[in-house]
């Protein structure tokens, strides 16, 4: 039976229903508007950051230079110096925002972000190990991935019984994070000066001179991960209810949890391999997306857009605030995001601890 | 409630024996190339000058410092857990140590350098940290939720840590002096550290002695405590003052060392039950024990290098933190 797409009655209030052949897509109207708004903002901010700097260009010149047009010096400046850093920031911010959104939904807690439950520290510890022990160029990304997976599995396994939600899960994550942080310090303390200096950028989040292959890998990871995240969204939004309701609605809970967690680890690890631990982006970006758009949905894409926006803005702030000293983006994120974390924490209504 | 497994005198004597053995171990073992035997000879009055210098100048001071800092942190942990009625409350986790070390970093950044001033600054920072913790516990809903308080403390410590790094970037000149305050270690402290931190420790313990009985009464509930003639508000303030002095002293002497205040009361409660008067007494012995053990391990783990002792305490403390959280019925205090 063929139902024409012009029947508005089929779509719930506030949604658009798109139909193409046998496939249909339900779009939340406000979320779409927000996504559009965020994309435009992102383009504007990106152009502006490209143009601004020690050697200020007009936005149109900067855009031209980005595509290889204009003076050779300007093209070099934009293509070789400013653009790679900006791309690294955009991709890692998007990955962290999406990962945070997935994990928050999975744990049903706004504080459960990869940074808070120790995934960042796990990835960092293993990435540092790769510098100190096996200095090959691709190793940091691969090892960051295994470190993040190790931390996530440990946290989930040790919090078992309390389930994947609530504060107990988060405190177990904090403990795991402390362990991996200590491990990182241990390795930095025993390695020689050169190796320790090479590993240092991984311990504070920074976008300075990121390795190109890690950025490429992150790009691929995002290209695979974001559509997958979008696919998981429908089931995830059902999992916001109690387990029984979700099962009743036909969600395969165990498989869904595993898939979401794996995706979250994948995105976080690749982002950490590029920027190091800038965990608070993962906390604030989904929050911003929810605030702007649909409060009841799972705004993965909007969270990714917000994350990208926050990351490049924080990096820009870090570069200009105390120039010529460059503040790593991780410190900016902690100073700005930390009070925000406290605010969320203390504002929330009381609930039980298990 | 956990049942007491040992009588108090038994527990105290075991702890004292442990402490004695660990002190000897701390004097005999180290990262350097002085073996155990020369160290032992030096300790017994041998005439090898190198060994004598290492044992009596370096390790002796370090051991004394560990005793002092461990005692202060152990006692502060018990007091803070009692006053917040929260088995996870720990000066390092709740941001009290972070407050103290940030205050010192700020003071150094603003030009201060006198060692004796660090003590006052660190205490002030710890006090501000304490007051913030108290304010948070007074907030609706948060005070009853042990885990959320820890999370708030972690966030608070994170902010202060980032601000300290910021100051460090700002002023490369004093970066070396500051690095110590950000990590926390017992090695290489100036000799006069002991002179000025001992009065701090004694002062803190005196205040602690004043509040320990009212605090035990407060454990029965605010009304009962008032009925027994205590002033709950005054008791809380006194306890926080004691915690601030103790943590401030410990941080000024050794930098921020997390988890000691969590590990020690946890073990003490396991051994003698949760009465504050017993746990406080036992913790004063166990605190130095745990810190000495961690310090000896930190010297031996990556020879010929040494680890900051905070790394070792994290390896011991994190599993205990998980154990406390996993324990379904969080013990009420």
């Amino acid at each position: 039976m063929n139902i024409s797409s012009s029947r508005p009655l089929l779509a719930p209030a506030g949604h658009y229903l798109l139909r193409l052949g046998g496939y249909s897509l339900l779009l939340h109207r406000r979320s779409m508007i927000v996504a559009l708004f965020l994309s435009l903002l992102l383009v504007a901010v990106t152009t502006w950051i490209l143009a601004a700097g020690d050697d200020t260009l007009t936005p149109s010149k900067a855009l031209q230079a980005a595509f290889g047009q204009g003076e050779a010096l300007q093209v070099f400046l934009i293509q070789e110096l400013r653009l790679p850093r900006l791309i690294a920031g955009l991709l890692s911010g998007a990955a962290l925002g999406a990962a945070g959104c997935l994990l928050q939904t999975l744990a049903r807690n706004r504080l459960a972000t990869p940074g808070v439950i120790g995934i960042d520290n796990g990835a960092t510890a293993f990435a540092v190990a790769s510098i100190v022990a096996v200095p090959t160029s691709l190793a940091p990304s691969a090892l960051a991935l295994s470190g993040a997976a190790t931390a996530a599995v440990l946290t989930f396994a040790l919090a078992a019984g309390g389930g994947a939600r609530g504060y107990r899960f988060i405190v177990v994550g904090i403990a795991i994070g402390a362990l991996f942080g200590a491990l990182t310090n241990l390795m930095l303390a025993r390695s020689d000066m050169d190796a320790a200096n090479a590993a240092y950028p991984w311990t504070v989040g920074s976008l300075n001179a990121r390795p190109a292959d890690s950025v490429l890998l992150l790009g691929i990871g995002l290209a695979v991960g974001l559509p997958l995240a979008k696919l998981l969204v429908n089931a995830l939004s059902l999992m916001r209810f109690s387990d029984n309701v979700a099962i009743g609605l036909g969600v395969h809970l165990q498989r869904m949890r595993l898939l979401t967690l794996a995706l979250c680890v994948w995105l976080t690890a690749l982002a950490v391999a590029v920027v190091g631990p800038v965990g608070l982006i993962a906390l604030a970006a989904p929050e911003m997306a929810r605030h702007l758009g649909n409060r009841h949905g799972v705004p993965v894409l909007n969270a990714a857009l917000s994350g990208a926006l926050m990351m490049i803005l924080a990096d820009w702030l870090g570069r200009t605030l105390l120039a010529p000293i460059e503040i790593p983006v991780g410190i900016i994120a902690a100073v700005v995001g930390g009070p925000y974390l406290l605010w969320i924490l203390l504002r929330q209504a009381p609930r039980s601890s298990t | 409630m956990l049942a007491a497994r040992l009588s108090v005198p038994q527990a105290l004597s075991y702890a004292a024996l442990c402490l004695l053995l660990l002190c000897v171990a701390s004097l005999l073992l180290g990262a350097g190339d002085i073996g155990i035997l020369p160290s032992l000879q030096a300790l017994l009055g041998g005439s090898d000058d190198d060994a004598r210098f290492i044992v009596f100048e370096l390790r002796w001071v370090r051991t004394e410092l560990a005793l002092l800092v461990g005692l202060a942190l152990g006692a502060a942990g018990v007091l803070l857990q009692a006053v917040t009625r929260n088995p996870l409350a720990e000066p390092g986790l709740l941001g009290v140590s972070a407050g103290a070390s940030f205050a010192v970093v700020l003071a150094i950044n603003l030009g201060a350098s006198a060692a004796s001033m660090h003590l006052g600054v660190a205490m002030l920072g710890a006090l501000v940290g304490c007051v913030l913790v108290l304010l948070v516990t007074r907030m609706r809903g948060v005070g009853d939720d042990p885990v959320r308080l820890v999370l708030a403390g972690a966030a608070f410590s994170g902010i202060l840590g980032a601000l300290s790094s910021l100051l460090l970037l700002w002023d490369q000149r004093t970066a070396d002096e500051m690095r110590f305050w950000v990590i926390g270690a017992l090695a290489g402290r100036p000799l006069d550290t002991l002179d000025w931190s001992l009065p701090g420790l004694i002062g803190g313990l005196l205040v602690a002695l004043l509040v320990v009985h009212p605090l035990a009464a407060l454990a029965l509930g605010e009304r009962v405590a008032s009925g027994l003639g205590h002033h709950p508000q005054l008791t809380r303030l006194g306890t926080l003052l004691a915690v601030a002095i103790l943590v401030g002293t410990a941080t000024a002497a050794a930098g921020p060392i997390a988890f000691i205040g969590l590990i020690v009361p946890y073990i003490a409660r396991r051994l003698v039950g949760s009465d504050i008067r017993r746990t406080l007494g036992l913790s004063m012995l166990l605190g130095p024990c745990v810190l000495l053990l961690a310090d000896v391990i930190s010297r031996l783990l990556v020879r010929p290098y040494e680890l900051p002792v905070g790394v070792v305490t994290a390896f011991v403390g994190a599993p205990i933190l998980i154990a406390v959280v996993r324990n379904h019925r969080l013990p009420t205090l």
Side-chain angles (χ1 to χ4, degrees), chain A residues 111 157-158 160 167-168 170-171 174-176 178-179 182-183 185-186 189-190 322 325 327-328 331 334-335 338-339 341-342 345-346 348-351 353-354, chain B residues 136 139-142 145-148 151-152 154-156 159 162-163 165-166 169-170 259 301-302 305-308 311 314-315 318 321-322 325-326 328 330:
Chain A
L111 295 163
L158 288 172
Y167 289 99
R168 185 167 140 182
I170 297 176
V171 170
I174 291 181
I176 296 292
L179 260 177
L183 200 64
N185 281 336
L186 177 92
R190 72 169 300 176
L322 287 182
I325 301 172
I327 308 169
I331 292 181
V335 172
L341 174 59
L342 273 180
L345 197 63
L346 302 181
Q348 266 178 345
R351 59 158 109 173
S353 61
T354 45
Chain B
V136 169
M139 283 181 77
R140 188 174 54 87
V142 181
D145 189 342
V147 174
R148 202 196 285 183
L151 208 52
F156 182 56
I159 299 168
L163 284 174
S165 313
L166 200 61
L169 275 169
W170 195 318
F259 286 115
L301 208 58
V302 291
Y305 304 105
E306 283 193 8
L307 274 176
V311 171
F315 275 116
L321 179 58
I322 294 174
V325 181
R326 275 177 66 91
H328 232 337
L330 289 169

Side-chain angles (χ1 to χ4, degrees), chain B residues 48 58 63 122 166-167 180 297 332:
Chain B
D48 183 349
L58 300 181
T63 306
L166 200 61
L167 290 176
F180 168 80
I297 293 174
T332 45

